[in-house]
Amino acid sequence: MAENSQSRAARKKQQKQSKEKGKKSVVKRIFTTLLIIGLVGALLGGGLFVYYVQGAPNLDEAKLSDPYSTKLYDANGDLFAELGTQKRTKITYEDVPQVLENAVLATEDVRFFDHFGIDLQRIGGAIYANITEGFGAQGASTITQQVVKRSFLSPKKSIERKVQEQWLALKLEQKYSKEQIFSMYLNKIYYGNNAYGVASAAKLYFNKDLNELTLPEAALLAGLPQRPSAYDPYKHPDLAQERKNVVLDLMVQHEKISEAEAKEAKAVKVQSMLSEQTETNIPYDAFIEQVLKEIQGKVDDVNVYEDGLKVYTTLDPNAQQKAEQLLDENGGISFPDQELQTAATVLDTKTGAIRAIAGGRNTEGINATFNYAIDGESQPGSTFKPIMDYGPAIEHLKWSTHHQLNDEPYNYLTGEKNEIRNWDGRFMGQMSAREALARSRNVPAVKTLNEVGLEKALSFAEGLGIEFNEKTKVESNAIGGGENVTTLELAEAYAAFGNEGVHNEAFSVTRIEFQDGSEPLEFEQKSNVAMNDSTAYMVTDMLKDVVSSSIGTGTRANVSGLPLAGKTGTTNEDKDSWFTGYTTNYTISVWTGYGNDKRSIPDDNYSKYIPQLYFQTLMSHISQGVETTDFKKPSSVVESKVEAGTSPAKLPSEYTPSNLIRYELFVKGTEPTNRSQAYDQLNPVEGLQANYDQGKQSITLSWQYKQDKDRPVTFTVKGASGGQSPQTITEGIKETKIQIPNVQPGETYSFEVIAVSERNDANTSSPKSVQIEVPEKEDDLLDGLDGENDKDEEDKKDKEDKQDKEDKQDKDDKEDKKENDSNNDNENGSNQENNNESGNTDDNQNEDPNQNSDEGTDSDDQTNPEQPSEDSTEEETNEENNG
């Protein structure tokens, strides 16, 4: 402390000598300065210069002591936060240690104690730097000018403001001492994390009083005011370290410290100097962080914490409160541990206005903790499929929602050409684009991107606000394995699908008013037509199935009675889980994961579904009492019936089973016009014949049928004897000939053959029938049909009886030959028949009782029961892994 007092005394003596010396030339300095200003005024025009000076505000001492707070207003015009009213500790010049003064002067205004408010040498250097290095390369404002600017003027850059700034700096130097002005500067300056003034900053970052500061600590504090958010040592320690070292180099350059001292101070890491963060207690910190980022990105030379602004925002307090509450321990969602993070962004679907931002769990204030909603980029997983695959395919290739894709083994076409895997490790074959998106199959998605072409797909995504670098322009973007995104970016992209294809840049600020009464700044919103309205509507309709269909992966996000669409997404090893969805009013994107700690989300059948549960609860809440209309089908889209599985799409016929009729969407002019014949009534078989083979004791059935490759069929054969009901002999055969063994003698058999569609066994032809009578004493024609089996003893007895009859008949024939000649002829004709009897289906009036007859009749009682669809659900899935 004594050492500090000695240095302070020496410094005061030096400054006194400097002042005495300065007084001798004060008239000369004032004259020189006024001359320069006069010259500037002459260049501008005498009248204009006088006008600017006369319009300059008065030096208000109250404004010099305390900066104005900035007021933030929500979408309803209600005040919800004030920035610049917390963490303020005033100091005097006597409280400033020499090490801090040297660091500040070396960094901000090394000739502060020598100039008269305006540094002519610095102006010349700034002009030269701006000419040689580009406009804005170096500023010329002194500490005095900065005090004036922050106290009385708006941050707008203009000649008028610059003239007034220089004029007021001269007046301030005349009214106040250098020490007072230096104290004003150190009390007014903003150091980040809601800390105003250097004393508050020292307490916040190091938990120290000013007289306890070390050289590296002083250097860090001196470097923060230039960009307090960018150099925030808690969030960006590496950038803060770089900035600290720049200040140390400046101190060496201006002979404030030695090279050795600088080297020793540079070796001290920023993280080792910091104290633990404390909470700021400002509401809606995640949303405010976006407001600050937006203002700093769009307005030059403004300090929200010091310039007394009125900022009008898009905040919906109802949505913001619920978004934050859901992240609390008692918010209704069961988090498995304290480390698992969740973040979300809520947008107005029609305008892009940001209604709420939840930056993460366990937050501690503005910029105190990482904001996962606007800064935490992660791979989007399958939420990229509408953006990179199906949206571009509909836009550029005019695909319908029915377009057929094959989920089969497939490799990337670029890079190492690795195999693409689905989350369940299997392939499901042919399916429509609608089903592929609802089931979130990876192979169809990558095939779709390759059909479109990577360049067109990337261009489509860029039109939705997604930015890529050269390393992330890769094929794996098809399943979200390339570029990283935030919830804000993904919500912005999805909102365009719900807004008829119009993309709006997301925004949180609408208007800024300045404390000096200058013209307010209205923020212009950027928008562009990202796609045709047909593309937007068709993608939306497909995404409806994701949440409402039994095969969809996002059914947990569905809100009963609310028309909404959305998509799930997970990354490899379940390190990230997403859900992004929208209604005509709101778009919400939700992410869950461990952030930079790339751990897998617990496999507990709950945690990976947190984004869906969060979305469902929040969307239900903010939609209460708000009319939510359904998405309107534009005239550029046609809805048409199609027969499932047809490629290209075909209209169903009257024979198409009802469970195979789909309603799909087509870009107008591409809808199907041809009718499918796959399920038309099949033609019956032709040329059906039944031939008896006495030697083999069997009947051979044969027929003809002209196969159609588009309508393949199999055959069912039925048979009966003795007037019994027909029973199936065989079915599903491709052959047009079969043999029936072990036929019974003396029986009359009837057969029918039916053609059956391979695609739908309910689609059958009318039966064709044939009948045949087997001679007496022959084997049973259909031994198995009536359940009787011949015994060896019965066979032997039958043979003996037959022989006795034949012997008796021969004897009778000889005795009665003359008398019964005609009868004997008939008997002999019967016993000497040909071994092979045949029936002809074209002649059903055959008089020979042993010849078969073709009934030639259609069956009137054929049924056409519903059969399961070929592309019907095999398994309800509610998860995915994009590989």
Side-chain angles (χ1 to χ4, degrees):
M1 198 62 190
E3 185 180 322
N4 186 61
S5 298
Q6 289 174 357
S7 64
R8 170 63 62 184
R11 182 162 50 131
K12 294 291 288 184
K13 182 179 179 180
Q14 181 184 10
Q15 289 167 359
K16 183 177 180 181
Q17 293 173 348
S18 177
K19 284 182 182 179
E20 290 175 350
K21 182 180 178 181
K23 286 179 181 178
K24 295 178 182 179
S25 59
V26 65
V27 175
K28 182 180 178 181
R29 290 183 182 180
I30 293 175
F31 176 78
T32 304
T33 303
L34 292 176
L35 178 62
I36 293 173
I37 294 177
L39 290 174
V40 174
L43 292 174
L44 293 172
L48 183 61
F49 175 75
V50 173
Y51 173 76
Y52 285 160
V53 170
Q54 288 180 341
N58 296 322
L59 295 180
D60 186 340
E61 188 170 350
K63 293 180 179 179
L64 288 170
S65 60
D66 287 322
Y68 282 106
S69 64
T70 288
K71 295 178 172 59
L72 303 182
Y73 298 87
D74 63 25
N76 303 316
D78 297 326
L79 179 69
F80 71 87
E82 285 192 65
L83 306 179
T85 59
Q86 293 81 19
K87 294 184 180 177
R88 195 180 306 280
T89 302
K90 289 188 178 182
I91 61 165
T92 65
Y93 180 74
E94 296 297 325
D95 298 318
V96 182
Q98 185 69 53
V99 66
L100 178 61
E101 179 179 316
N102 288 340
V104 172
L105 292 178
T107 306
E108 294 294 336
D109 190 355
V110 72
R111 285 177 291 277
F112 172 70
F113 283 102
D114 297 325
H115 62 65
F116 208 75
I118 300 173
D119 189 344
L120 301 180
Q121 184 176 341
R122 188 168 184 175
I123 291 175
I127 293 173
Y128 177 78
N130 289 331
I131 292 174
T132 58
E133 301 176 32
F135 181 76
Q138 180 177 319
S141 293
T142 63
I143 284 178
T144 309
Q145 287 175 270
Q146 291 186 54
V147 171
V148 166
K149 179 177 63 176
R150 297 177 189 280
S151 300
F152 307 114
L153 302 175
S154 78
K156 289 183 178 180
K157 288 186 176 180
S158 64
I159 296 177
E160 177 183 11
R161 196 209 73 178
K162 203 64 183 176
V163 169
Q164 291 178 348
E165 178 186 302
Q166 293 177 343
W167 176 256
L168 290 175
L170 291 174
K171 294 181 67 176
L172 190 69
E173 290 269 356
Q174 295 174 32
K175 188 173 182 179
Y176 297 95
S177 70
K178 286 287 186 180
E179 292 79 11
Q180 288 175 310
I181 295 173
F182 192 67
S183 300
M184 291 175 189
Y185 173 80
L186 292 178
N187 281 324
K188 291 181 73 69
I189 207 73
Y190 177 62
Y191 287 87
N193 288 298
N194 210 31
Y196 299 88
V198 70
S200 297
K203 185 65 72 173
L204 170 70
Y205 291 119
F206 315 122
N207 195 27
K208 289 184 177 182
D209 293 329
L210 292 182
N211 61 359
E212 299 175 299
L213 291 177
T214 64
L215 174 58
E217 291 168 345
L220 177 61
L221 290 178
L224 285 177
Q226 186 186 60
R227 296 175 64 197
S229 295
Y231 298 136
D232 183 341
Y234 290 117
K235 295 182 69 174
H236 309 293
D238 292 340
L239 292 177
Q241 181 79 15
E242 291 178 11
R243 179 60 178 164
K244 181 200 73 171
N245 293 344
V246 168
V247 173
L248 291 169
D249 289 337
L250 289 171
M251 294 179 74
V252 172
Q253 176 185 334
H254 296 297
E255 300 180 350
K256 303 295 183 181
I257 60 173
S258 66
E259 288 279 5
E261 289 174 310
K263 183 177 180 181
E264 182 181 355
K266 287 181 179 180
V268 179
K269 297 297 182 184
V270 164
Q271 294 96 321
S272 68
M273 301 188 297
L274 299 176
S275 63
E276 190 173 339
Q277 282 184 282
T278 56
E279 192 169 346
T280 61
N281 294 321
I282 295 180
Y284 312 149
D285 53 289
F287 182 88
I288 293 175
E289 287 172 12
Q290 173 61 24
V291 170
L292 298 180
K293 180 183 287 189
E294 201 166 311
I295 292 175
Q296 291 163 0
K298 294 183 178 181
V299 184
D300 294 329
D301 202 18
V302 64
N303 191 313
V304 176
Y305 290 91
E306 299 178 9
D307 294 339
L309 310 175
K310 288 185 176 180
V311 181
Y312 293 88
T313 75
T314 59
L315 177 76
D316 178 351
N318 179 46
Q320 182 68 37
Q321 290 168 11
K322 189 65 175 180
E324 292 181 357
Q325 181 229 322
L326 287 171
L327 299 181
D328 295 340
E329 288 188 11
N330 301 318
I333 294 178
S334 299
F335 292 94
D337 51 53
Q338 290 297 318
E339 291 75 32
L340 185 65
Q341 286 290 344
T342 292
T345 298
V346 182
L347 299 185
D348 184 308
T349 301
K350 295 183 178 69
T351 67
I354 302 172
R355 298 306 184 195
I357 293 177
R361 301 173 63 212
N362 310 313
T363 58
E364 298 177 356
I366 299 174
N367 291 321
T369 47
F370 193 76
N371 191 328
Y372 289 97
I374 63 176
D375 296 321
E377 294 186 334
S378 299
Q379 288 189 347
S382 291
T383 56
F384 242 29
K385 289 175 180 175
I387 296 171
M388 290 297 300
D389 310 327
Y390 299 105
I394 296 172
E395 181 74 8
H396 295 292
L397 305 179
K398 307 303 179 189
W399 277 14
S400 70
T401 58
H402 169 81
H403 186 87
Q404 297 297 294
L405 296 159
N406 195 2
D407 183 18
E408 61 184 350
Y410 188 74
N411 289 54
Y412 286 113
L413 303 183
T414 57
E416 297 182 1
K417 300 183 179 180
N418 294 326
E419 183 182 4
I420 300 162
R421 298 183 300 275
N422 290 307
W423 67 269
D424 54 3
R426 63 193 182 102
F427 305 99
M428 299 182 68
Q430 182 172 306
M431 61 181 63
S432 66
R434 179 189 294 277
E435 183 180 355
L437 184 56
R439 291 185 182 275
S440 201
R441 308 304 290 177
N442 287 339
V443 169
V446 179
K447 284 185 173 182
T448 299
L449 180 140
N450 287 329
E451 284 282 338
V452 175
L454 181 59
E455 289 303 317
K456 287 183 178 179
L458 291 170
S459 177
F460 184 90
E462 288 169 344
L464 297 173
I466 304 297
E467 296 181 357
F468 300 87
N469 60 55
E470 289 304 315
K471 291 183 178 180
T472 61
K473 292 181 177 181
V474 292
E475 187 181 1
S476 59
N477 277 306
I479 52 179
E483 184 59 62
N484 292 340
V485 295
T486 65
T487 62
L488 178 59
E489 293 168 332
L490 208 51
E492 179 182 311
Y494 265 65
F497 291 117
N499 191 37
E500 300 178 349
V502 177
H503 163 253
N504 293 303
E505 183 181 20
F507 64 98
S508 63
V509 180
T510 59
R511 175 185 174 93
I512 293 179
E513 295 179 0
F514 302 99
Q515 54 88 16
D516 65 350
S518 59
E519 184 179 356
L521 179 62
E522 302 284 349
F523 277 45
E524 294 183 3
Q525 307 312 321
K526 297 179 180 179
S527 64
N528 60 284
V529 177
M531 69 192 87
N532 294 320
D533 57 359
S534 55
T535 302
Y537 181 79
M538 291 168 68
V539 169
T540 295
D541 197 67
M542 295 166 74
L543 291 177
K544 280 185 172 183
D545 281 5
V546 173
V547 295
S548 62
S549 169
S550 61
I551 65 172
T553 59
T555 54
R556 289 173 175 83
N558 196 27
V559 180
S560 179
L562 203 63
L564 63 87
K567 186 69 188 76
T568 55
T570 57
T571 58
N572 283 346
E573 301 176 9
D574 291 335
K575 292 178 180 177
D576 304 277
S577 182
W578 292 82
F579 186 83
T580 302
Y582 53 96
T583 66
T584 50
N585 294 328
Y586 300 106
T587 300
I588 303 175
S589 183
V590 190
W591 165 87
T592 289
Y594 286 100
N596 291 331
D597 182 9
K598 288 296 184 181
R599 293 154 54 188
S600 295
I601 299 171
D603 185 14
D604 54 11
N605 201 34
Y606 180 88
S607 297
K608 73 169 62 175
Y609 303 120
I610 285 176
Q612 294 187 51
L613 302 174
Y614 186 104
F615 174 93
Q616 197 274 342
T617 305
L618 182 56
M619 183 64 84
S620 297
H621 178 80
I622 62 179
S623 298
Q624 289 178 4
V626 179
E627 182 182 1
T628 303
T629 60
D630 201 352
F631 304 95
K632 184 178 179 182
K633 181 168 70 69
S635 59
S636 57
V637 175
V638 174
E639 184 178 58
S640 174
K641 288 182 180 181
V642 294
E643 184 175 283
T646 53
S647 182
K650 292 184 179 180
L651 298 169
S653 70
E654 60 180 304
Y655 301 102
T656 302
S658 60
N659 64 322
L660 295 182
I661 297 176
R662 305 282 186 267
Y663 290 86
E664 297 289 3
L665 301 178
F666 297 81
V667 178
K668 189 174 183 179
T670 66
E671 62 270 24
T673 55
N674 295 328
R675 185 178 62 83
S676 171
Q677 298 179 350
Y679 297 98
D680 285 4
Q681 181 74 41
L682 297 173
N683 294 324
V685 301
E686 298 178 350
L688 178 61
Q689 291 185 350
N691 297 315
Y692 171 60
D693 186 329
Q694 184 177 9
K696 294 182 180 179
Q697 296 183 346
S698 64
I699 295 175
T700 299
L701 294 178
S702 61
W703 61 92
Q704 292 86 44
Y705 195 87
K706 186 178 181 180
Q707 286 276 12
D708 184 343
K709 65 177 182 179
D710 295 327
R711 304 176 66 196
V713 300
T714 61
F715 302 102
T716 296
V717 179
K718 296 182 179 181
S721 63
Q724 296 179 352
S725 299
Q727 297 185 37
T728 299
I729 298 173
T730 186
E731 58 186 348
I733 63 171
K734 289 276 192 177
E735 297 80 10
T736 56
K737 181 178 182 180
I738 66 168
Q739 188 177 71
I740 312 298
N742 303 323
V743 296
Q744 286 281 0
E747 287 286 355
T748 299
Y749 293 91
S750 60
F751 301 94
E752 60 182 39
V753 179
I754 305 167
V756 181
S757 170
E758 283 191 24
R759 295 177 179 174
N760 176 23
D761 56 13
N763 185 12
T764 64
S765 71
S766 58
K768 277 295 183 178
S769 302
V770 65
Q771 192 175 70
I772 185 171
E773 182 178 344
V774 179
E776 288 287 346
K777 303 303 180 182
E778 296 295 341
D779 291 338
D780 188 2
L781 184 61
L782 287 176
D783 189 49
L785 291 178
D786 57 9
E788 295 182 1
N789 296 315
D790 294 333
K791 305 294 183 180
D792 291 340
E793 292 82 3
E794 292 176 343
D795 292 339
K796 183 177 180 180
K797 187 176 183 303
D798 287 342
K799 290 180 180 180
E800 292 174 351
D801 291 342
K802 182 178 181 182
Q803 188 63 46
D804 290 341
K805 279 188 177 183
E806 289 177 350
D807 292 340
K808 185 176 182 300
Q809 187 66 47
D810 288 341
K811 183 178 180 180
D812 292 340
D813 287 345
K814 291 178 181 179
E815 293 176 351
D816 302 326
K817 181 177 181 181
K818 292 182 181 180
E819 297 178 5
N820 302 303
D821 186 60
S822 59
N823 291 336
N824 288 339
D825 288 342
N826 291 337
E827 288 284 340
N828 290 333
S830 176
N831 289 328
Q832 296 176 6
E833 285 179 335
N834 291 332
N835 288 337
N836 293 311
E837 298 292 332
S838 64
N840 189 340
T841 60
D842 297 328
D843 182 8
N844 56 8
Q845 300 295 326
N846 195 327
E847 295 183 1
D848 189 337
N850 296 323
Q851 291 285 348
N852 61 307
S853 64
D854 184 354
E855 300 292 341
T857 58
D858 292 339
S859 173
D860 295 328
D861 59 353
Q862 294 297 309
T863 60
N864 190 20
E866 278 193 5
Q867 298 295 325
S869 167
E870 288 181 356
D871 61 347
S872 63
T873 302
E874 292 187 20
E875 176 182 0
E876 178 178 347
T877 62
N878 282 292
E879 61 180 346
E880 66 204 295
N881 192 320
N882 70 359

